[in-house]
Amino acid sequence: MLRSNCLAIILLLAGYLSHSQNNVIKASFTGPLAGDVNFGFEKAVNRNSSINIRLGYLDPLLSPFISEDMFTPRAYTLQEARGGISAALEYRFYLSEKNSIQGFYIAPYARYFNQDMVFSDEIENKIFTVKTNINTLGVGGQFGYQWIFNKVFTLDLYFIGAGVDYHNGNIKYTLEPQPPGFDYSMVTPHVDDVFVDIKYLHKRLKHVINEDNHTTKLPFLFPSLRMGGSIGIAF
C-alpha cells in the first residue's frame, strides 16, 4: 500500500513537472558587477505573461569596477558608503506561442533604489560633515529572452532596456561641535561651485539654510539604460 502511494505521488510530480512551469526563483549574475546583489521571483499570470519582482542590496563599493573617485565630487573626501535598497517590478509579455514563461519578451518596468554616503568637506578651515542621500524612481521598457533547460534551470537575459529615472538628492552640511550662532549661508556658494560645471544639475539646486545645518535639495530627471542577466530554478 505504501509503495503504491509513493508511486502515485512520483507519477503526479512527474506529470506536474512535465507541464509548463509557472514560477521561477532567480539570482542576478550581472548586478554584482555594479554593486547590486539582487534576487527575483517570476510568476505566470496567464498563458503568455508574467510578473517579475526583484529585490536587492545596492552598494557601489561592492563592484570591482567602480572606484570612490567615480562618485565622489571634487573637494569632497568619502568617509562612509552605506548600502541601500534596490527593487524592480516588471510585467512581461512573452512573444512565444509556447504555454510557458520562456522565449522572447517585452516588459515595461518600474524600479527604485536609494543610497546614503557620508563625505567631509573643508571650507575656510572648517571641516564639515556632508551627509548625502539619493532616492531614485524609474520607469521604462526592456526586451529580453528567457530559456528553460531540462524543465528546471533558467537563463534570463534582458538585452536592451531604456527609460527615465527621477532622482531626488539631499546634501546636508553640519559642523560638529556646533558653533553658537554660526551662519550656514556661507556653504551655499561652495555647493554651487561644486556643481557649476554641470549646468543641468547646477540650475536645479535648492538651498535651505537652517540654524544647525545647510541642506541642498537636488531633484532631476535622467535617461537610463538597463541590461543584465540572471539564472534560476523553475517550478
Side-chain angles (χ1 to χ4, degrees):
M1 181 68 176
L2 179 59
R3 182 177 298 178
S4 62
N5 287 339
C6 289
L7 180 60
I9 293 173
I10 292 172
L11 290 174
L12 287 172
L13 182 60
Y16 173 78
L17 292 176
S18 67
H19 289 79
S20 58
Q21 287 72 20
N22 293 317
N23 307 281
V24 181
I25 296 175
K26 57 185 72 176
S28 172
F29 59 83
T30 55
L33 300 178
D36 185 10
V37 180
N38 68 77
F39 300 89
F41 175 71
E42 182 176 1
K43 182 174 181 60
V45 295
N46 56 42
R47 187 173 182 270
N48 292 110
S49 64
S50 70
I51 292 177
N52 190 57
I53 300 172
R54 300 174 188 271
L55 292 173
Y57 176 82
L58 175 65
D59 184 348
L61 290 182
L62 295 177
S63 169
F65 303 105
I66 299 177
S67 66
E68 294 181 9
D69 294 339
M70 296 176 67
F71 55 82
T72 301
R74 61 185 177 87
Y76 286 7
T77 301
L78 179 66
Q79 301 296 327
E80 183 181 359
R82 301 169 183 171
I85 296 171
S86 68
L89 175 65
E90 308 163 10
Y91 194 94
R92 296 185 170 186
F93 299 93
Y94 282 89
L95 307 181
S96 171
E97 295 182 357
K98 297 179 181 179
N99 184 20
S100 181
I101 46 178
Q102 61 180 317
F104 287 102
Y105 63 82
I106 298 172
Y109 69 82
R111 66 176 181 175
Y112 168 83
F113 61 87
N114 65 13
Q115 183 71 52
D116 294 315
M117 294 185 182
V118 180
F119 302 91
S120 63
D121 188 11
E122 182 177 354
I123 307 174
E124 297 183 5
N125 299 318
K126 294 180 175 63
I127 305 298
F128 289 81
T129 297
V130 185
K131 295 182 179 179
T132 67
N133 168 266
I134 187 164
N135 291 277
T136 299
L137 181 63
V139 293
Q142 66 186 35
F143 182 72
Y145 194 101
Q146 180 160 264
W147 292 265
I148 299 181
F149 302 101
N150 298 325
K151 301 179 181 179
V152 175
F153 304 104
T154 67
L155 174 61
D156 179 15
L157 298 178
Y158 39 104
F159 313 115
I160 242 181
V164 61
D165 291 340
Y166 174 75
H167 304 273
N168 187 17
N170 284 278
I171 306 168
K172 183 178 180 181
Y173 276 71
T174 57
L175 274 176
E176 298 176 6
Q178 176 73 39
F182 181 75
D183 184 6
Y184 275 94
S185 63
M186 67 169 294
V187 175
T188 299
H190 183 78
V191 177
D192 283 334
D193 186 59
V194 170
F195 292 92
V196 70
D197 293 332
I198 311 174
K199 293 182 179 179
Y200 175 72
L201 298 181
H202 183 261
K203 65 182 180 181
R204 285 165 175 78
L205 297 173
K206 299 178 181 179
H207 303 292
V208 179
I209 301 170
N210 302 302
E211 291 184 0
D212 59 352
N213 69 77
H214 179 289
T215 299
T216 300
K217 300 181 182 299
L218 179 56
F220 64 97
L221 290 171
F222 208 76
S224 64
L225 295 177
R226 193 166 188 251
M227 59 186 64
S230 63
I231 54 176
I233 301 293
F235 58 97

